[in-house]
């Protein structure tokens, strides 16, 4: 029995870490092959007048402290034809009042065509100071997807971008992302890199200081984001197996999202759900398509600094992941999309969705075999050291990728602090993360009531 369990967990660990290693290698290969493109995107990309129009949709629920800085950041984008649509999703704080004061909003009669279902709209406003800004005030829909659909109903451009209301976007982010749509007509969606805003400084909507968070929880999330975006997303894009384009920053072709039905208000993982429905729609129509990822596009977003807020976020994310995988289970082992059906979907099921359960089962077995005196200390030690070494290696690789990304501000202090966090992560951050993910899975299994929730913002980064 113990030998069987040891072999099962060994095979599981080898497969999971092997897949992570493959993603790292694919990311390194892509970064090496496209050095010229990446330097062009960072230093030479310019407005040509051929960029497709872009609608930026910002769902906002109780985002009063950060909403003005976020909108100012978006309005300073170096892009030709774009509009910003803020959706006040029945906020109970001063979100709408702050927008009124900062941008001098007035009632604006607008033909509102409901293509995608959402809660009733109470009013549409336009700014006297910024002609590209419109604000929708609607009843609370209980999900970010409902608010995003309301914005999509008002959008008029061929591309749209959905962003979090606490984010600050690089001024050339839209321009760099649009380049992928211009270079390849098969691209239907494109994501960018997210980085924690904690520890940074923003003045007038512009990021003027890029620094690491001071609080340990936010620092661990910095390592997590680097690993997820610089290793995971780049690697999955090479397999055309991207299952998630982050709701923090992602650009889609409007017509493709319309074919897929817009956002589903009944799921918490609206960003992953839309991507999976795009995969299903393109495969059903036998259309050649690509989902891209551009690491040179950076969006800074505030990450939780308290356990309460962090726990609520991760439970919601885990529940959304389980919902999406179950809802789109027909994509498993689909013949027409090897990267999605045969690699990405199974990997996300076993390595992302079920991994907390597998880890708990492993811990219970270890304790049981130890109590029975049947546990081989040597074998247990080897497996533990192997897991820790692989985890540290993958995190160190993400730091390497970060240092290889042109334009990043790398210093010995930054590398040392991040590397120290990677060594401590398995002992401090990972157990907490696993605990909250377990609760998220349990909430999905028992169908407990869910909603968008309120994420408390510190906004210490914002200099008024």
């Amino acid at each position: 029995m113990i030998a069987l369990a040891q072999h099962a967990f060994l095979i599981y660990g080898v497969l999971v870490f092997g897949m992570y290693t493959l993603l790292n290698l694919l990311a390194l290969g892509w970064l090496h092959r496209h050095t010229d493109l990446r330097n062009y995107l960072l230093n030479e990309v310019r407005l040509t007048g051929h960029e497709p129009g872009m609608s930026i949709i910002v769902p906002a629920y109780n985002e009063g402290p950060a909403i003005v800085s976020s909108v100012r950041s978006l309005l300073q984008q170096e892009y030709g034809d774009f509009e910003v649509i803020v959706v006040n999703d029945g906020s109970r704080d001063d979100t709408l009042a702050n927008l009124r004061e900062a941008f001098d909003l007035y009632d604006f009669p607008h033909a509102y065509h409901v293509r995608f279902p959402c809660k009733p709209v109470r009013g549409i406003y336009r700014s006297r100071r910024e002609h590209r800004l419109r604000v929708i005030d609607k009843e609370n829909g209980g999900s970010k997807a409902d608010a995003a659909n309301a914005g999509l109903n008002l959008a008029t451009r061929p591309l749209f971008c959905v962003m979090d209301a606490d984010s600050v976007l690089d001024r050339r982010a839209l321009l760099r992302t649009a380049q992928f749509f211009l270079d390849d007509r098969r691209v239907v969606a494109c994501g960018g890199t997210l980085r924690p805003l904690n520890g940074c400084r923003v003045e007038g909507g512009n990021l003027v200081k890029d620094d690491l968070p001071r609080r340990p929880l936010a620092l661990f999330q910095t390592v997590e984001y680097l690993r997820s975006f610089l290793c995971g997303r780049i690697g999955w894009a090479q397999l055309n197996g991207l299952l998630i384009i982050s709701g923090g920053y992602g650009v889609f072709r409007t017509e493709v999202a319309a074919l897929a039905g817009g956002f589903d208000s009944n799921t918490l993982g609206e960003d992953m759900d839309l991507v999976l429905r795009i995969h299903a729609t393109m495969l059903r129509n036998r259309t050649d398509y690509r989902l891209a990822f551009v690491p040179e596009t950076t969006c800074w977003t505030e990450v939780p600094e308290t356990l309460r807020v962090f726990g609520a976020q991760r439970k919601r994310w885990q529940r959304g992941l389980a919902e999406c995988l179950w809802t789109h289970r027909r994509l498993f082992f689909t013949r027409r999309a090897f990267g999605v059906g045969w690699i990405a979907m199974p990997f996300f099921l076993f390595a992302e969705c079920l991994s907390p359960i597998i880890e708990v089962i492993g811990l219970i077995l270890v304790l049981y075999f130890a109590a029975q005196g049947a546990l081989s200390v040597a074998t247990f030690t080897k497996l533990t050291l192997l897991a820790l070494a692989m985890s540290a290696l993958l995190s160190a690789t993400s730091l390497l990728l970060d240092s290889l990304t042109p334009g990043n501000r790398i210093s010995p202090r930054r590398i040392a602090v991040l590397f120290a966090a990677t060594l401590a992560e398995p002992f401090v951050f990972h157990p907490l993360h696993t605990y909250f993910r377990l609760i998220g899975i349990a909430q999905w299994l028992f169908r407990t009531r869910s909603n968008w929730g309120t994420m408390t913002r510190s906004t210490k980064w914002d200099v008024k």
Side-chain angles (χ1 to χ4, degrees), residues 187-236:
V187 173
V188 297
C190 185
T193 301
L194 261 65
R195 296 177 184 269
L197 189 54
N198 312 55
C200 299
R201 175 178 289 185
V202 175
E203 295 182 4
N206 288 315
L207 187 84
V208 296
K209 180 183 179 182
D210 180 10
D211 204 352
L212 294 174
R214 294 185 178 182
R215 295 204 172 185
L217 186 59
L219 184 62
F220 285 127
Q221 291 173 81
T222 301
V223 175
E224 180 192 28
Y225 275 45
L226 287 176
R227 186 169 56 239
S228 174
F229 287 95
L230 292 183
C231 296
R233 304 292 170 88
I234 298 177
W236 285 120

Side-chain angles (χ1 to χ4, degrees), residues 11-52:
I11 292 173
Y12 173 80
V14 169
L15 290 176
V16 169
F17 283 120
M19 190 63 215
Y20 278 126
T21 301
L22 174 61
L23 293 174
N24 283 350
L25 292 175
L26 289 172
L28 282 169
W30 187 89
L31 292 173
H32 177 71
R33 292 194 308 273
H34 294 85
T35 301
D36 292 340
L37 170 63
R38 295 162 60 226
N39 282 315
Y40 168 75
L41 291 174
L42 277 170
N43 304 312
E44 299 179 27
V45 63
R46 295 289 186 275
L47 282 169
T48 65
H50 298 291
E51 295 81 14

Side-chain angles (χ1 to χ4, degrees), residues 117-330:
C118 65
K119 289 293 184 179
V121 170
R122 297 184 293 212
I124 298 176
Y125 305 91
R126 196 164 187 171
S127 170
R128 290 188 175 91
R129 300 174 183 172
E130 296 286 351
H131 69 279
R132 293 168 298 188
L133 173 63
R134 286 179 291 174
V135 176
I136 299 174
D137 182 33
K138 61 179 285 293
E139 295 180 7
N140 180 261
S143 69
K144 182 179 176 181
D146 191 88
N149 275 343
L152 199 52
N153 287 333
L154 197 65
T156 60
R157 306 304 199 268
L159 298 179
F160 75 91
C161 165
V162 177
M163 288 192 57
D164 288 338
D166 63 334
S167 300
V168 174
L169 193 60
D170 184 282
R171 296 184 68 173
R172 290 192 171 186
L174 296 184
L175 196 57
R176 291 166 184 154
T177 307
Q179 191 66 44
F180 281 70
F181 291 90
L182 292 171
D183 290 345
D184 190 346
R185 291 292 302 175
R186 297 176 301 167
V187 173
V188 297
C190 185
T193 301
L194 261 65
R195 296 177 184 269
L197 189 54
N198 312 55
C200 299
R201 175 178 289 185
V202 175
E203 295 182 4
N206 288 315
L207 187 84
V208 296
K209 180 183 179 182
D210 180 10
D211 204 352
L212 294 174
R214 294 185 178 182
R215 295 204 172 185
L217 186 59
L219 184 62
F220 285 127
Q221 291 173 81
T222 301
V223 175
E224 180 192 28
Y225 275 45
L226 287 176
R227 186 169 56 239
S228 174
F229 287 95
L230 292 183
C231 296
R233 304 292 170 88
I234 298 177
W236 285 120
Q238 308 319 300
L239 298 171
N240 203 27
L242 273 174
L243 300 189
I244 301 176
I245 289 180
S246 175
Y249 177 77
V251 178
F252 301 83
R253 290 195 188 274
T254 306
E255 61 181 16
V256 173
L259 285 175
F263 292 93
D264 185 355
S265 300
N266 296 316
T267 181
L268 289 177
E270 76 290 332
D271 45 3
M272 183 177 186
D273 176 76
L274 178 59
V275 171
L276 289 175
R277 281 191 287 112
I278 287 175
H279 278 298
T281 301
M282 296 293 101
L283 293 171
R284 185 170 56 249
N285 294 338
R286 299 183 181 276
T287 303
D288 188 15
Y289 72 101
R290 300 288 299 176
L291 276 77
F293 181 83
V294 50
E296 277 67 39
T297 296
T298 302
C299 177
W300 287 270
T301 184
E302 184 174 339
V303 299
E305 293 186 339
T306 66
L307 283 179
R308 183 184 64 82
V309 179
F310 175 76
Q313 181 195 68
R314 296 314 169 102
K315 286 183 283 187
R316 188 176 72 251
W317 285 6
Q318 192 70 17
R319 178 170 183 162
L321 172 62
E323 286 178 349
C324 288
L325 291 176
W326 175 254
T327 301
H328 300 280
R329 56 191 179 276
R330 290 186 178 181

Side-chain angles (χ1 to χ4, degrees), residues 441-455:
I441 294 175
Q443 288 178 341
W444 175 72
L445 288 173
F446 294 104
R447 301 294 192 269
T448 58
R449 185 177 179 181
S450 63
N451 53 54
W452 189 354
T454 301
M455 301 297 287

Side-chain angles (χ1 to χ4, degrees), residues 363-379:
L363 179 60
I364 293 173
L365 288 176
V366 166
L367 295 176
Y368 172 76
F369 291 136
Q372 297 295 317
L375 179 65
S376 170
V377 177
T379 302

Side-chain angles (χ1 to χ4, degrees), residues 99-112:
L99 289 170
R100 283 180 183 273
E101 180 180 357
F103 300 104
D104 193 11
L105 301 181
Y106 67 96
D107 288 317
F108 182 73
H110 195 288
Y112 185 79

